[in-house]
Amino acid sequence: MEQWIQLTIDGITLGGVYAVIALGYTLVYGVLRMINFAHGELFMMGAFGGFYTLDAFENHTTMNDSLPSLTIALAIFAGMGTSVILAILMERLAYRPLRHAPRLAPLISAIGVSILLRNLMLRWTNARRQVFPQVFPRGSIEIGDVNVTYIRIFLVALSILFMLLLYIFIQRTKTGTAIRAVAEDRDTAALMGIDVDRTIVLTFVSGAALAGAAGVCYAMYTTNAAAGMGFLPGIKAFTAAVLGGIGSVPGAMFGGYFLGLSESYSTKLIGAQYKDVVAFVLLVLVLIFRPWGFFGKREDRRA
Amino acid sequence: MREDAAPVVAQSAHLELDGVVSGYGQIMAIKGITLQVQTGEIVALIGANGAGKSTTLRTISGLLRPRSGRIGFEGERIDAVAPHKIVSRGISHVPEGRAIFSRLTVRENLEMGAFQRTDRAGIEADLDRVVGIFPRLRERLKQDGGTLSGGEQQMLAIGRALMARPRLLLMDEPSMGLSPVLVETIFNTIIDINRNGTTILLVEQNAAMALQVATRGYVLESGAIALEASAAELRASDLVRKTYLGEV
């Protein structure tokens, strides 16, 4: 029994991370009908943004010791900032020039950006994993017979907080409403006086901020950062977004948790070595039987 | 882009198109249109399907860049201005097929119409005014736009455009797909909007209706102006009667 509870907690932790990343895919898809395949690299670059910021402060141990929460917050904000700046550049240089090109072109451009960033970081780090500074307090609490580490609780809480903030932003603010309007009908949005280009940038920025935060937290959790760290979480979060219905915000959240839990339970039911396979089997099944996902709208096939 | 920045229109002309060529890709749906709309007028642009009526409106509102020709509004050139900036200059466009944001609520649709404005109190007052004009929208403010009937969507599309407080309103086929009673209602509203000081350029296939409310009209045929006259003259002309009013 404890084991199942443990697996559930694992699944929720991982699922929250997937969900937060998945939101970036779904938001960008919503406004551009494009999968930003470099989104996983925003996650990775965010982690490095946090890493190098902490690295710079490494000798200031007094700060780390006396104010761990401030250090953690600093790392997360640095990660978010790194990803946001990159996302703005990415949109401006790699995607916007292809706005009116056939739909395959920005997709290929995105794959190019992804490869570029990963290889830049491989060079920069000499292909070595960087040990992420131990800023998060060790320790855990007992819930019944189950041991839950602080960082896990933090991760679960933070992902819920970020999703809540994003949801409020999208649903309750004028800018969020404009993002939804652009997602539905770009021309009509422009006729309302909405600056479509700016709104698209803001969409990238929102997704990138979440990815950057997730990257830093994930690196704290796994205690390292590496150039290739964005690939699997990125593609799994993409799977989560598709599961939930790409373009749907609640769908991405649902898909993230669904995938996290499926993976976690599968380690017990099938075997830990098949963990990654589960995600992709799910992806294939959804694409065959319900390509619009659980929450997505059935869409007419586009040319 | 172009050298001369001098005003192309006399101050009295609200909107002026001068030799405007525009369209999609290689296909130029309008091939040199010249027309004027004076302050306070309702001008009808009538013509068959594919004559270039919607292209004309989409070019004025900046969704399409003219290939050549000039567009002036209130004495300034607007043919290279981005669509969202055209809105802030005082032109609103009620697009063909209404183009309601179906997943936004009715209230959000109206608020998007006022996107450029920051005067909260004024926006609320205008929202009240719009649901005063269209009481059926008041009951549906919290519903998604997609749940409205065709007539309600047209009301919302017009109301949404009014939220920007335009001085010039471009309307693309407001009668399309509506019952005769609703068409009547919509056209009465158009007259009211005009009386309250908004100049209107109206594109219609329903020529009979359009020429009843308009002061002047243009007949568009395969991308060019075939005829220009007062609404009364157009109603009486043979061409219009045979081709657009269905008389023999």
Side-chain angles (χ1 to χ4, degrees), chain A residues 6 20 71 76 96 116 127 131 147 155 168 200 236 265-266:
Chain A
Q6 188 68 56
V20 168
T71 316
I76 291 175
R96 197 183 297 184
L116 175 79
V131 176
N147 201 17
L155 228 55
I168 292 168
I200 288 171
K236 283 182 184 169
Y265 292 142
S266 72

Side-chain angles (χ1 to χ4, degrees), chain A residues 171 174 177-178 180-181 184-185 187-195 297, chain B residues 58 61 63 84 87 99-104 108 112-113 115-117 160:
Chain A
Q171 291 295 330
K174 192 170 162 180
T177 312
R180 285 183 289 137
E184 202 174 324
D185 184 340
D187 276 356
T188 305
L191 292 181
M192 299 299 107
I194 295 168
D195 184 340
K297 282 230 170 83
Chain B
R58 290 170 67 84
S61 55
L63 290 177
H84 66 273
V87 177
I100 291 306
F101 297 116
S102 61
R103 292 194 284 278
L104 267 55
E108 285 170 338
M112 286 297 100
F115 188 80
Q116 299 251 348
R117 295 171 55 186
R160 187 177 64 177

Side-chain angles (χ1 to χ4, degrees), chain A residues 57-118:
Chain A
F57 281 95
E58 204 182 20
N59 299 326
H60 302 259
T61 41
T62 44
M63 181 175 164
N64 290 350
D65 292 342
S66 57
L67 288 167
S69 56
L70 188 71
T71 316
I72 293 162
L74 181 75
I76 291 175
F77 282 125
M80 292 170 89
T82 308
S83 300
V84 162
I85 291 166
L86 262 172
I88 293 170
L89 290 172
M90 203 184 270
E91 193 275 335
R92 192 74 192 81
L93 301 175
Y95 304 150
R96 197 183 297 184
L98 299 170
R99 186 79 51 79
H100 300 287
R103 280 179 70 184
L104 204 53
L107 220 60
I108 293 167
S109 185
I111 294 170
V113 172
S114 161
I115 295 170
L116 175 79
L117 287 174
R118 203 180 315 155

Side-chain angles (χ1 to χ4, degrees), chain B residues 122-138:
Chain B
I123 293 171
E124 274 307 308
D126 282 356
L127 208 136
D128 263 357
R129 193 169 64 93
V130 166
V131 297
I133 301 171
F134 302 115
R136 282 161 76 173
L137 295 181
R138 189 191 297 277

Side-chain angles (χ1 to χ4, degrees), chain A:
Chain A
M1 188 60 207
E2 301 92 68
Q3 202 183 357
W4 285 103
I5 297 172
Q6 188 68 56
L7 287 173
T8 306
I9 295 169
D10 286 359
I12 291 173
T13 313
L14 205 58
V17 176
Y18 291 157
V20 168
I21 308 170
L23 283 168
Y25 283 105
T26 230
L27 286 172
V28 166
Y29 182 85
V31 296
L32 285 180
R33 299 289 182 276
M34 170 206 142
I35 309 291
N36 180 13
F37 278 116
H39 191 62
E41 273 58 50
L42 290 176
F43 167 88
M44 177 269 290
M45 295 300 281
F48 275 105
F51 170 77
Y52 285 113
T53 308
L54 290 183
D55 205 42
F57 281 95
E58 204 182 20
N59 299 326
H60 302 259
T61 41
T62 44
M63 181 175 164
N64 290 350
D65 292 342
S66 57
L67 288 167
S69 56
L70 188 71
T71 316
I72 293 162
L74 181 75
I76 291 175
F77 282 125
M80 292 170 89
T82 308
S83 300
V84 162
I85 291 166
L86 262 172
I88 293 170
L89 290 172
M90 203 184 270
E91 193 275 335
R92 192 74 192 81
L93 301 175
Y95 304 150
R96 197 183 297 184
L98 299 170
R99 186 79 51 79
H100 300 287
R103 280 179 70 184
L104 204 53
L107 220 60
I108 293 167
S109 185
I111 294 170
V113 172
S114 161
I115 295 170
L116 175 79
L117 287 174
R118 203 180 315 155
N119 283 285
L120 276 177
M121 285 320 285
L122 271 174
R123 259 203 91 90
W124 182 261
T125 58
N126 293 317
R128 271 199 288 272
R129 287 182 170 273
Q130 309 292 314
V131 176
F132 211 81
Q134 178 72 42
V135 284
F136 208 90
R138 290 169 214 266
S140 58
I141 54 167
E142 304 279 330
I143 303 174
D145 293 325
V146 181
N147 201 17
V148 189
T149 54
Y150 287 146
I151 181 135
R152 224 158 242 249
I153 296 169
F154 175 72
L155 228 55
V156 170
L158 200 69
S159 49
I160 292 172
L161 174 73
F162 273 119
M163 282 188 264
L164 216 60
L165 287 176
L166 180 91
Y167 191 76
I168 292 168
F169 171 64
I170 294 290
Q171 291 295 330
R172 296 272 176 269
T173 67
K174 192 170 162 180
T175 307
T177 312
I179 289 177
R180 285 183 289 137
V182 170
E184 202 174 324
D185 184 340
R186 205 186 288 171
D187 276 356
T188 305
L191 292 181
M192 299 299 107
I194 295 168
D195 184 340
V196 172
D197 281 339
R198 184 173 161 270
T199 308
I200 288 171
V201 173
L202 284 171
T203 310
F204 270 94
V205 163
S206 320
L210 295 181
V216 175
C217 294
Y218 192 76
M220 284 198 290
Y221 177 61
T222 60
T223 67
N224 61 63
M229 71 178 280
F231 180 69
L232 263 186
I235 208 142
K236 283 182 184 169
F238 166 64
T239 303
V242 174
L243 274 175
I246 189 110
S248 158
V249 168
M253 299 178 186
F254 167 85
Y257 284 112
F258 187 86
L259 189 64
L261 287 168
S262 305
E263 258 189 47
S264 184
Y265 292 142
S266 72
T267 57
K268 161 92 175 146
L269 296 173
I270 312 172
Q273 67 272 37
Y274 291 110
K275 188 168 72 96
D276 295 337
V277 176
V278 169
F280 302 114
V281 169
L282 277 171
L283 177 64
V284 170
L285 288 178
V286 168
L287 287 177
I288 293 172
F289 294 107
R290 205 181 155 86
W292 57 93
F294 289 100
F295 286 73
K297 282 230 170 83
R298 209 174 180 150
E299 214 169 320
D300 291 331
R301 197 168 290 182
R302 281 154 191 267

